[in-house]
Short mmCIF file of all heavy atoms in Angstrom, two decimals:
data_model
loop_
_atom_site.label_atom_id
_atom_site.label_comp_id
_atom_site.label_asym_id
_atom_site.label_seq_id
_atom_site.Cartn_x
_atom_site.Cartn_y
_atom_site.Cartn_z
N MET A 861 25.12 -52.00 -112.40
CA MET A 861 25.95 -50.90 -112.52
C MET A 861 26.39 -50.33 -111.26
O MET A 861 27.68 -50.13 -111.09
CB MET A 861 25.26 -49.81 -113.33
CG MET A 861 26.09 -48.56 -113.53
SD MET A 861 27.64 -48.77 -114.42
CE MET A 861 27.01 -48.70 -116.07
N ALA A 862 25.60 -50.30 -110.28
CA ALA A 862 25.93 -49.69 -108.93
C ALA A 862 27.01 -50.64 -108.28
O ALA A 862 27.97 -50.24 -107.78
CB ALA A 862 24.70 -49.49 -108.12
N PHE A 863 26.63 -51.96 -108.42
CA PHE A 863 27.55 -52.95 -107.81
C PHE A 863 28.94 -52.85 -108.39
O PHE A 863 29.93 -53.02 -107.71
CB PHE A 863 26.96 -54.35 -108.08
CG PHE A 863 27.65 -55.50 -107.49
CD1 PHE A 863 27.64 -55.83 -106.20
CD2 PHE A 863 28.59 -56.24 -108.18
CE1 PHE A 863 28.38 -56.90 -105.59
CE2 PHE A 863 29.31 -57.30 -107.86
CZ PHE A 863 29.16 -57.56 -106.46
N LEU A 864 28.99 -52.91 -109.78
CA LEU A 864 30.43 -52.96 -110.37
C LEU A 864 31.11 -51.62 -110.18
O LEU A 864 32.35 -51.58 -110.11
CB LEU A 864 30.12 -53.07 -111.93
CG LEU A 864 29.60 -54.51 -112.35
CD1 LEU A 864 29.30 -54.57 -113.78
CD2 LEU A 864 30.57 -55.62 -111.85
N VAL A 865 30.33 -50.47 -110.12
CA VAL A 865 31.18 -49.23 -109.93
C VAL A 865 31.65 -49.16 -108.60
O VAL A 865 32.84 -48.77 -108.40
CB VAL A 865 30.15 -48.01 -110.23
CG1 VAL A 865 30.72 -46.73 -109.63
CG2 VAL A 865 29.85 -47.85 -111.64
N ILE A 866 31.01 -49.55 -107.46
CA ILE A 866 31.49 -49.57 -106.10
C ILE A 866 32.68 -50.55 -106.05
O ILE A 866 33.67 -50.24 -105.42
CB ILE A 866 30.35 -49.86 -105.15
CG1 ILE A 866 29.24 -48.92 -105.21
CG2 ILE A 866 30.92 -50.01 -103.76
CD1 ILE A 866 28.05 -49.13 -104.49
N LEU A 867 32.54 -51.79 -106.63
CA LEU A 867 33.45 -52.79 -106.49
C LEU A 867 34.86 -52.37 -107.22
O LEU A 867 35.85 -52.43 -106.80
CB LEU A 867 32.89 -54.16 -107.02
CG LEU A 867 33.83 -55.39 -106.84
CD1 LEU A 867 34.12 -55.62 -105.48
CD2 LEU A 867 33.27 -56.53 -107.67
N SER A 868 34.66 -51.82 -108.44
CA SER A 868 35.81 -51.45 -109.12
C SER A 868 36.52 -50.22 -108.57
O SER A 868 37.74 -50.08 -108.66
CB SER A 868 35.44 -50.98 -110.58
OG SER A 868 34.38 -49.97 -110.63
N SER A 869 35.78 -49.33 -107.87
CA SER A 869 36.38 -48.17 -107.21
C SER A 869 37.24 -48.78 -106.02
O SER A 869 38.35 -48.24 -105.77
CB SER A 869 35.31 -47.28 -106.60
OG SER A 869 34.57 -47.85 -105.61
N HIS A 870 36.82 -49.76 -105.35
CA HIS A 870 37.61 -50.38 -104.26
C HIS A 870 38.94 -51.06 -104.86
O HIS A 870 39.96 -50.98 -104.31
CB HIS A 870 36.83 -51.45 -103.42
CG HIS A 870 35.98 -50.83 -102.35
ND1 HIS A 870 36.33 -50.91 -101.13
CD2 HIS A 870 34.84 -50.15 -102.37
CE1 HIS A 870 35.49 -50.25 -100.31
NE2 HIS A 870 34.52 -49.85 -101.09
N LEU A 871 38.74 -51.75 -105.84
CA LEU A 871 39.89 -52.41 -106.52
C LEU A 871 40.90 -51.49 -107.15
O LEU A 871 42.06 -51.63 -107.08
CB LEU A 871 39.28 -53.42 -107.54
CG LEU A 871 38.53 -54.58 -107.11
CD1 LEU A 871 37.98 -55.45 -108.26
CD2 LEU A 871 39.26 -55.44 -106.13
N SER A 872 40.32 -50.39 -107.73
CA SER A 872 41.27 -49.31 -108.32
C SER A 872 42.04 -48.61 -107.33
O SER A 872 43.20 -48.22 -107.55
CB SER A 872 40.51 -48.46 -109.20
OG SER A 872 39.52 -47.68 -108.42
N LEU A 873 41.40 -48.40 -106.11
CA LEU A 873 42.11 -47.65 -105.14
C LEU A 873 43.32 -48.56 -104.47
O LEU A 873 44.27 -48.01 -104.08
CB LEU A 873 41.20 -47.34 -103.84
CG LEU A 873 40.17 -46.29 -104.21
CD1 LEU A 873 39.18 -46.13 -103.02
CD2 LEU A 873 40.83 -44.92 -104.46
N SER A 874 43.11 -49.88 -104.44
CA SER A 874 44.19 -50.76 -104.04
C SER A 874 45.20 -51.08 -105.06
O SER A 874 46.19 -51.60 -104.79
CB SER A 874 43.52 -52.08 -103.55
OG SER A 874 42.84 -52.74 -104.63
N SER A 875 45.04 -50.57 -106.32
CA SER A 875 45.85 -50.84 -107.37
C SER A 875 46.26 -49.53 -107.97
O SER A 875 45.53 -48.76 -108.52
CB SER A 875 45.28 -51.84 -108.34
OG SER A 875 46.13 -51.83 -109.55
N GLY A 876 47.63 -49.24 -107.96
CA GLY A 876 48.06 -48.00 -108.52
C GLY A 876 48.42 -48.05 -109.98
O GLY A 876 48.81 -47.02 -110.53
N CYS A 877 48.42 -49.19 -110.59
CA CYS A 877 48.69 -49.30 -111.94
C CYS A 877 47.75 -48.90 -112.83
O CYS A 877 46.53 -49.30 -112.82
CB CYS A 877 49.08 -50.81 -112.20
SG CYS A 877 49.54 -51.22 -113.98
N ARG A 878 48.06 -47.93 -113.79
CA ARG A 878 47.06 -47.38 -114.77
C ARG A 878 46.48 -48.41 -115.64
O ARG A 878 45.27 -48.34 -115.99
CB ARG A 878 47.68 -46.23 -115.52
CG ARG A 878 46.79 -45.50 -116.44
CD ARG A 878 47.52 -44.20 -116.91
NE ARG A 878 46.60 -43.63 -117.90
CZ ARG A 878 46.36 -43.83 -119.20
NH1 ARG A 878 47.01 -44.91 -119.69
NH2 ARG A 878 45.51 -43.15 -119.95
N ASN A 879 47.44 -49.27 -116.07
CA ASN A 879 46.93 -50.32 -117.07
C ASN A 879 45.86 -51.27 -116.53
O ASN A 879 44.92 -51.68 -117.17
CB ASN A 879 48.03 -51.15 -117.55
CG ASN A 879 49.05 -50.33 -118.48
OD1 ASN A 879 48.58 -49.36 -119.13
ND2 ASN A 879 50.32 -50.69 -118.60
N ARG A 880 46.04 -51.52 -115.19
CA ARG A 880 45.12 -52.39 -114.40
C ARG A 880 43.80 -51.64 -114.34
O ARG A 880 42.69 -52.30 -114.45
CB ARG A 880 45.62 -52.76 -113.14
CG ARG A 880 46.75 -53.79 -113.17
CD ARG A 880 47.15 -54.24 -111.73
NE ARG A 880 48.24 -55.11 -111.82
CZ ARG A 880 48.76 -55.63 -110.82
NH1 ARG A 880 48.39 -55.32 -109.53
NH2 ARG A 880 49.92 -56.54 -110.83
N LYS A 881 43.74 -50.43 -114.11
CA LYS A 881 42.58 -49.61 -114.07
C LYS A 881 41.76 -49.65 -115.31
O LYS A 881 40.59 -49.73 -115.38
CB LYS A 881 42.87 -48.16 -113.57
CG LYS A 881 43.33 -48.00 -112.13
CD LYS A 881 43.49 -46.66 -111.68
CE LYS A 881 44.03 -46.50 -110.33
NZ LYS A 881 44.30 -45.11 -109.83
N VAL A 882 42.46 -49.45 -116.49
CA VAL A 882 41.82 -49.38 -117.83
C VAL A 882 41.33 -50.85 -118.05
O VAL A 882 40.14 -50.95 -118.48
CB VAL A 882 42.93 -49.06 -118.78
CG1 VAL A 882 42.37 -49.29 -120.20
CG2 VAL A 882 43.47 -47.66 -118.70
N LEU A 883 41.95 -51.89 -117.66
CA LEU A 883 41.47 -53.14 -117.91
C LEU A 883 40.21 -53.40 -116.97
O LEU A 883 39.14 -54.05 -117.41
CB LEU A 883 42.54 -54.22 -117.55
CG LEU A 883 42.08 -55.72 -117.51
CD1 LEU A 883 41.67 -56.12 -119.01
CD2 LEU A 883 43.28 -56.60 -117.09
N LEU A 884 40.32 -52.90 -115.76
CA LEU A 884 39.10 -53.08 -114.84
C LEU A 884 37.81 -52.34 -115.41
O LEU A 884 36.76 -53.05 -115.39
CB LEU A 884 39.47 -52.45 -113.47
CG LEU A 884 38.41 -52.62 -112.28
CD1 LEU A 884 38.17 -54.08 -111.94
CD2 LEU A 884 38.96 -51.89 -111.17
N TYR A 885 37.96 -51.19 -115.86
CA TYR A 885 36.89 -50.44 -116.26
C TYR A 885 36.36 -50.94 -117.70
O TYR A 885 35.16 -50.84 -118.00
CB TYR A 885 37.12 -48.92 -116.38
CG TYR A 885 37.17 -48.32 -115.00
CD1 TYR A 885 38.42 -47.84 -114.48
CD2 TYR A 885 36.05 -48.17 -114.15
CE1 TYR A 885 38.52 -47.28 -113.20
CE2 TYR A 885 36.13 -47.68 -112.93
CZ TYR A 885 37.41 -47.23 -112.43
OH TYR A 885 37.44 -46.66 -111.21
N SER A 886 37.19 -51.56 -118.49
CA SER A 886 36.96 -52.29 -119.64
C SER A 886 36.01 -53.45 -119.45
O SER A 886 35.03 -53.74 -120.12
CB SER A 886 38.13 -52.74 -120.57
OG SER A 886 38.82 -51.53 -120.83
N LEU A 887 36.36 -54.17 -118.32
CA LEU A 887 35.60 -55.31 -117.91
C LEU A 887 34.17 -54.89 -117.41
O LEU A 887 33.15 -55.55 -117.67
CB LEU A 887 36.34 -56.15 -116.83
CG LEU A 887 37.54 -56.85 -117.19
CD1 LEU A 887 38.23 -57.42 -116.01
CD2 LEU A 887 37.16 -57.92 -118.27
#
């Protein structure tokens, strides 16, 4: 959980698309 939260936070910061963020957190 810690690994995925930190990794997803880095990826979401580099991506401004809201749909991509929703997909990322769904994964």
Side-chain angles (χ1 to χ4, degrees):
M861 173 61 80
F863 180 84
L864 292 176
V865 167
I866 297 169
L867 186 61
S868 60
S869 67
H870 274 261
L871 295 176
S872 63
L873 287 176
S874 61
S875 174
C877 179
R878 184 174 180 276
N879 292 333
R880 289 184 180 179
K881 291 182 180 180
V882 173
L883 177 61
L884 182 63
Y885 289 111
S886 298
L887 290 175

